[in-house]
Amino acid sequence: PAFPAARRCRDVFWILPFVVVCAAVVGAAVHFAPSIGNQVARQARASDVKLPDAWTIIGAGGAGAGASLLASLCFAALAKRAPCCVVWTSLLFGPFIMMACGMALIAFGIFFLGLICIIVGALSLACVFCCFRQFIPFTIMIVEMVASVMKENPMMVCVSLLGSIMGIAWSFACGLAFAGTYQKFGHSLAESNGAEQYGILFAAFLIFIWGAQVAYNVCHVTYCGVFGRWYHQSDVNVALRKSLYVALTSSFGSICFGSFLVAAVRALEFVIRQARVEAQQDGNAVCCVILLLLECVVSCLGDMLEYFSEWAYVQCAVRGVSFIEAARITYSMMTCANMQYVISDLLINAVVNLGAIFSGAVGGGVGAAAGWAIAGESAALSGAVIGGWSGLVAGSAAVGVLSSGAKTILALWAEDPEPLRRMRREMHEELERRITSKLED
């Protein structure tokens, strides 16, 4: 049943290794932070480069993250008031930026690369009008519905703030831990064989992606719970509190498990890419081709696993099942309920990407301004980089609610369409029409 009164903790086994990894990373970051700071200061004095201090970095990052959260709220409000404008802009943004970059390259004398960019942008623009145009009205309806639920639950921005803090803190902790470990054991690592180096690279990337995925998916499961309670009109007044509690308790093991699977595939993809680059530099064409094909296969596998897990987390949030059980339910939904015909018409990811880029750009601009205000022109560039990264992390966590809401509502409609028929008859009829038309074709 949806939202059972009592929930068992699922996939508990995966919580302990994740906690151990987090403790190890944070401990290493705290241990190595003073030595890294001293080394950076010595190198800066030797090269007469003025680097920003810690307060400048914290100020620029905090300002960028805060500004990106405000930007994501404005983006969500715009999605509610003008969903048509948001959807069309998200689809046209990429092609126009690509063509603008091509024109800039031609202006600087890089004709061939600029021409390629213009051609790719023009082909992408043609795809929007020729291939995606029929899906745009449906996406507009989805965006407007999700944005209206967001307006009813404005405190979801607190979850975005929590996810932003966790994501940014994890990035800094991993950076300090990895840099300190390399500083201490870099000589031994350089003398090790290739297999050992690739193994260490795999482990480092796995740890970083695992933590980042857990931070993102805690927000995702919370959002799914809020939208699920709206759909079933269950505990609406305390939807956010109960959903966050589920994400951090009974479903946290499932989040750790699913995030580990995605992180493992992404880490393997990264290692294969590094091996391909080295083979390319060595001039080994056969090995380079084999690794390129393997990289494509692993990349596709990672994309499918990441996308499928986002749908599976809906069941974890709503029904409190384990990750494997959620995957089985999701597979049944995709096949038995013919939801693949609806999902294929959905362009919501383009809207989410635009919101993340917009938030990151705002964060970078505000971070640069904060760095300049705190420490002058020398800190403006570092403030822009730190603010941009913080803004991208914070903006992705905030704007991701659009994707979470769309997936939750569609998944629950596939199981029980009656609540949506009562609340949004036009959307219910549109979903039925799309499935019927695909089956008739």
Side-chain angles (χ1 to χ4, degrees):
F3 302 107
R7 294 185 184 228
R8 291 170 48 200
C9 291
R10 303 288 186 173
D11 300 313
V12 182
F13 170 80
W14 293 93
I15 298 178
L16 180 60
F18 178 74
V19 171
V20 170
V21 167
C22 288
V25 170
V26 173
V30 173
H31 175 72
F32 290 123
S35 61
I36 293 175
N38 293 333
Q39 183 182 17
V40 171
R42 286 195 301 269
Q43 292 178 348
R45 286 194 298 268
S47 59
D48 294 329
V49 176
K50 185 178 180 181
L51 296 177
D53 56 19
W55 289 111
T56 302
I57 294 175
I58 294 173
S68 68
L69 283 175
L70 292 177
S72 64
L73 288 177
C74 295
F75 185 82
L78 182 62
K80 174 65 175 68
R81 291 183 174 273
C84 182
C85 175
V86 169
V87 172
W88 273 106
T89 302
S90 64
L91 293 174
L92 298 178
F93 178 78
F96 277 110
I97 287 295
M98 181 67 71
M99 289 189 289
C101 291
M103 293 177 184
L105 290 173
I106 292 176
F108 282 102
I110 311 176
F111 180 80
F112 183 71
L113 184 59
L115 182 61
I116 292 177
C117 290
I118 292 176
I119 293 174
V120 171
L123 292 175
S124 301
L125 189 64
C127 287
V128 171
F129 287 99
C130 298
C131 303
F132 298 154
R133 188 183 182 91
Q134 58 181 324
F135 307 141
I136 292 176
F138 175 59
T139 304
I140 291 172
M141 294 178 66
I142 292 288
V143 169
E144 190 277 330
M145 179 176 61
V146 173
S148 64
V149 180
M150 292 171 60
K151 188 177 180 180
E152 296 175 11
N153 297 271
M155 293 306 294
M156 279 196 289
V157 68
C158 296
V159 179
S160 303
L161 179 61
L162 174 63
S164 303
I165 293 174
M166 291 192 299
I168 295 170
W170 183 251
S171 299
F172 278 107
C174 287
L176 290 172
F178 296 159
T181 303
Y182 182 79
Q183 181 186 44
K184 186 173 183 178
F185 302 103
H187 181 70
S188 301
L189 180 62
E191 295 179 350
S192 61
N193 58 45
E196 292 175 344
Q197 292 179 357
Y198 285 133
I200 294 172
L201 190 64
F202 174 83
F205 205 76
L206 171 65
I207 290 171
F208 174 71
I209 296 297
W210 193 11
Q213 280 284 312
V214 168
Y216 174 81
N217 287 325
V218 165
C219 297
H220 175 58
V221 172
T222 303
Y223 297 148
C224 292
V226 172
F227 280 93
R229 286 180 166 84
W230 170 83
Y231 188 88
H232 287 289
Q233 293 296 295
S234 173
D235 300 321
V236 178
N237 295 330
V238 290
L240 181 62
R241 178 172 61 82
K242 287 197 171 185
S243 300
L244 181 59
Y245 178 79
V246 167
L248 295 176
T249 54
S250 59
S251 292
F252 189 68
S254 300
I255 292 174
C256 294
F257 179 32
S259 300
F260 177 82
L261 295 177
V262 173
V265 176
R266 292 305 185 191
L268 179 61
E269 178 188 355
F270 179 76
V271 170
I272 294 173
R273 184 181 298 115
Q274 290 298 112
R276 175 182 60 80
V277 171
E278 292 184 5
Q280 186 176 356
Q281 292 173 349
D282 295 338
N284 191 338
V286 176
C287 184
C288 185
V289 171
I290 294 174
L291 289 174
L292 180 60
L293 294 175
L294 186 59
E295 180 186 345
C296 292
V297 172
V298 175
S299 178
C300 291
L301 178 62
D303 291 340
M304 290 187 294
L305 181 60
E306 190 169 352
Y307 184 76
F308 190 80
S309 65
E310 289 185 356
W311 286 91
Y313 283 129
V314 174
Q315 304 301 328
C316 295
V318 174
R319 304 190 181 283
V321 297
S322 67
F323 185 79
I324 297 298
E325 290 176 301
R328 293 195 186 102
I329 295 172
T330 302
Y331 179 77
S332 299
M333 177 196 73
M334 296 292 183
T335 54
C336 299
N338 298 310
M339 283 301 293
Q340 68 271 21
Y341 298 130
V342 174
I343 295 172
S344 63
D345 292 354
L346 191 60
L347 305 174
I348 191 71
N349 285 341
V351 180
V352 174
N353 293 338
L354 175 64
I357 294 172
F358 172 68
S359 301
V362 172
V366 173
W372 182 83
I374 296 173
E377 295 181 1
S378 60
L381 179 59
S382 58
V385 174
I386 296 166
W389 172 250
S390 302
L392 188 61
V393 172
S396 298
V399 181
V401 66
L402 291 170
S403 176
S404 302
K407 291 179 173 64
T408 304
I409 293 172
L410 292 177
L412 296 181
W413 178 84
E415 299 171 3
D416 181 13
E418 185 60 25
L420 189 62
R421 188 189 66 80
R422 292 196 307 265
M423 293 186 293
R424 299 269 180 160
R425 179 179 289 273
E426 291 183 359
M427 177 58 68
H428 168 77
E429 293 175 351
E430 178 65 18
L431 292 172
E432 284 191 333
R433 186 190 67 80
R434 289 187 172 272
I435 291 178
T436 303
S437 62
K438 293 291 180 64
L439 290 175
E440 291 176 350
D441 293 341

